[in-house]
Amino acid sequence: MNDTIAAIATPEGSGAIGVVRVSGPQTTAVARRLLSWREPPEPRRTFLARVHDGAELLDEAVAVFFKAPHSYTGEDTVELSCHGSSYILRRVLEAAIKAGARQAAPGEFTQRAFLNGRLDLAQAEGVLALVSSRTSRAHRLAMAQLSGGLSRKVARLKESLLDLIALGEADLDHPDEGIPVLPPREARNRLEEIEAGMAALLDGCRRGRLLREGARIAIGGRPNAGKSSLFNALLGADRAIVCADPGTTRDALEEASDIDGLLCVLTDTAGLRPDASSRAERAGIERGETALKAADLVLFVIDGSAPPCAEDEMARGAIETATRARGVPVLRVLNKSDVGTLEAWKAAGGLPVSAKTGSGLPALRSAVLSALSVDSGGDAEAEVATSMRQMEHLQAARSEIKAASALAALEGSGLDERHITHLRSAFERLGLVVGAASPDEILDAVFSRFCVGK
Ligand SMILES: Nc1nc2c(ncn2[C@@H]2O[C@H](COP(=O)(O)OP(=O)(O)O)[C@@H](O)[C@H]2O)c(=O)[nH]1
Ligand SMILES: [Mg+2]
């Protein structure tokens, strides 16, 4: 970080204003050549600056000087608001580079902010979420993360863990002092509490991801149950071919739709049949299975007007196999209610709908939202683990805690080395979420997802 970086911080194309940023220890030297400064101006005051490339006047810009450490990056920084032509901006950037700066890599300004302790890693990822947020819900979540919401929750869990580790170790170090500092029952209670805190955090993250990225909803069921019809009805468009012949849908069709404010990606799958006649149909069935495995929610479509058959059972089995381990919710949809719904199906449970007339669809939509627990009110506690990276560490931390807790419950014991090893790993994982001791590759992976100039 002893070099000075520069980039155009506003998007490609022309606008009223375009911003060029320069940050690093040689910022004032660069600005001296670029803006003909004699002395650095008063920090954080705007002033009119003539931008030169050698003798050539490039633009008249509004400049602000931020003196280290009081800037976004924590370094000396100059921001130039130029006239927003991409030609001018490119020339100003080139001139800054001639004056001693180098072109910044994607996310490098935010990376410097992180390395200088201005943000933790979770907050840095909040910045990324913020610049890419497209809906009001996504925006609210990103703001929460930027202001350290996730970091604070993780910090609280880390504190409880550390407490528990310290008490457990005290007992291990001094086993002969009679009454343990941490009686076994107390240890187990604390473990349970931490586990519950972890579970709540992860569930919040799951909801946060759904709100940001949308939910993947797969529609499964036997041929002719009305999957494609339901797909079309939910989209409000005739997207998939509907036909009385079984095996019409050969491919897994995917389409985005808005279900009461939640972005959903619906997948219509080919009906599962053992005697799929062609290779194309079998390939389609495979794609359907992949979609089921990736889904956040599955709509299991049943022809409620026809008696249960072996193909329904086969579809149920396939859906269960794809969802059970991940705990993905499955909603049973009893389609063709306009023709009638048989008692046998009603008794087994499910939502009667008619893809043909649209009856029951509003109830289905709200059932979808509540099955994903993102119905209104879910926002408040939603968390933004924006990245897979954060989710992985949180999940790993949770399994370590679960392992310790299961061990303690099984043996009715207090904490020994084995528990503490699990707790220590959990503690390290939580540290990685907010970026303490993150190895360089992780940092590079995080920051390279930013755009240049951020
Ligand atoms: N009466 C009635 N027929 C339906 C309904 N939904 C679908 N169908 C009919 O059932 C047949 C199969 O529909 P389709 O959507 O292609 O089923 P898929 O094979 O599961 O995708 C078609 O003839 C549809 O017109 C419904 O709600 N009511
Ligand atoms: Mg179909």
Side-chain angles (χ1 to χ4, degrees):
M1 284 198 297
N2 42 28
D3 56 354
T4 296
I5 54 175
I8 301 168
T10 40
E12 266 300 303
S14 53
I17 294 175
V19 174
V20 174
R21 267 179 163 173
V22 181
S23 176
Q26 293 92 31
T27 293
T28 49
V30 171
R32 207 165 271 143
R33 291 182 56 185
L34 197 64
L35 311 176
S36 327
W37 281 0
R38 278 186 216 97
E39 291 303 315
E42 196 182 328
R44 296 201 262 180
R45 292 278 299 265
T46 54
F47 58 94
L48 195 66
R50 292 167 157 258
V51 188
H52 283 91
D53 182 359
E56 187 184 356
L57 178 62
L58 293 177
D59 197 12
E60 284 193 345
V62 174
V64 186
F65 173 55
F66 299 92
K67 186 151 185 51
H70 304 292
S71 70
Y72 179 67
T73 55
E75 305 170 325
D76 280 357
T77 299
V78 166
E79 281 188 14
L80 296 173
S81 299
C82 305
H83 289 99
S85 110
S86 45
Y87 173 74
I88 293 179
L89 293 171
R90 207 175 56 243
R91 290 291 311 273
V92 171
L93 176 61
E94 280 166 13
I97 290 169
K98 272 192 216 160
R102 85 168 154 74
Q103 165 76 54
E108 202 170 0
F109 290 90
T110 307
Q111 183 166 19
R112 288 187 171 199
F114 167 75
L115 293 171
N116 287 320
R118 309 281 299 167
L119 299 167
D120 68 31
L121 200 54
Q123 285 174 310
E125 284 170 305
V127 173
L128 177 65
L130 193 63
V131 292
S132 61
S133 58
R134 279 167 302 184
T135 66
S136 62
R137 280 177 143 186
H139 169 246
R140 262 207 309 282
L141 292 169
M143 280 311 293
Q145 186 179 358
L146 180 60
S147 58
L150 177 65
S151 309
R152 273 194 298 278
K153 288 187 184 174
V154 170
R156 273 204 293 278
L157 279 170
K158 278 177 71 185
E159 230 168 79
S160 318
L161 262 175
L162 200 58
D163 245 23
L164 192 57
I165 293 171
L167 292 175
E169 284 188 338
D171 283 334
L172 284 181
D173 291 345
H174 310 282
D176 315 320
E177 295 187 356
I179 308 160
V181 191
L182 189 67
R185 168 167 295 283
E186 167 78 8
R188 286 199 302 276
N189 286 346
R190 286 197 184 206
L191 262 177
E192 261 168 41
E193 241 168 64
I194 294 174
E195 204 186 331
M198 237 6 266
L201 188 65
L202 269 164
D203 191 56
C205 291
R206 182 192 60 82
R207 268 179 293 154
R209 183 182 66 72
L210 291 181
L211 292 177
R212 262 176 53 74
E213 293 169 15
R216 289 175 302 247
I217 300 180
I219 303 178
R222 73 159 167 81
N224 258 343
K227 298 178 300 298
S228 298
S229 304
L230 185 68
F231 177 78
N232 288 339
L234 286 172
L235 289 177
D238 270 343
R239 177 69 176 80
I241 299 169
V242 169
C243 182
D245 302 332
T248 311
T249 307
R250 295 288 175 85
D251 209 343
L253 286 180
E254 208 180 81
E255 201 69 56
S257 163
D258 177 326
I259 295 191
D260 298 344
L262 178 71
L263 175 70
C264 293
V265 179
L266 295 171
T267 312
D268 178 23
T269 64
L272 303 157
R273 334 189 262 173
D275 57 344
S277 46
S278 69
R279 271 176 38 205
E281 190 181 352
R282 278 199 303 277
I285 291 175
E286 263 167 41
R287 289 199 181 178
E289 283 169 350
T290 310
L292 289 176
K293 282 186 194 134
D296 297 304
L297 175 113
V298 175
L299 297 177
F300 175 19
V301 183
I302 291 160
D303 180 347
S305 69
C309 63
E311 287 180 327
D312 287 312
E313 188 46 35
M314 193 184 147
R316 196 196 57 74
I319 290 171
E320 187 168 317
T321 312
T323 56
R324 191 180 32 207
R326 294 183 301 130
V328 167
V330 177
L331 286 179
R332 290 160 62 94
V333 180
L334 307 178
N335 192 31
K336 309 197 189 182
S337 65
D338 55 301
V339 185
T341 309
L342 297 180
E343 279 308 321
W345 286 122
K346 276 190 201 157
L351 280 168
V353 310
S354 167
K356 191 172 178 181
T357 67
S359 115
L361 286 185
L364 178 60
R365 288 200 178 88
S366 48
V368 164
L369 295 192
S370 61
L372 291 167
S373 22
V374 287
D375 31 359
S376 56
D379 278 27
E381 275 301 297
E383 214 48 68
V384 245
T386 28
S387 63
M388 285 307 290
R389 187 193 69 78
Q390 291 172 328
M391 284 302 277
E392 273 165 26
H393 290 313
L394 287 170
Q395 262 149 3
R398 184 195 193 173
S399 3
E400 294 287 354
I401 292 165
K402 263 192 169 162
S405 173
L407 208 58
L410 188 69
E411 299 173 353
S413 60
L415 302 187
D416 61 28
E417 285 94 351
R418 294 164 309 154
H419 302 98
I420 288 178
T421 307
H422 284 304
L423 296 181
R424 281 199 171 285
S425 315
F427 184 79
E428 275 163 28
R429 287 292 191 158
L430 289 180
L432 291 173
V433 174
V434 287
S438 289
D440 289 349
E441 314 93 80
I442 298 181
L443 294 184
D444 287 344
V446 168
F447 291 105
S448 62
R449 291 185 300 136
F450 282 75
C451 39
V452 174
K454 190 67 229 177

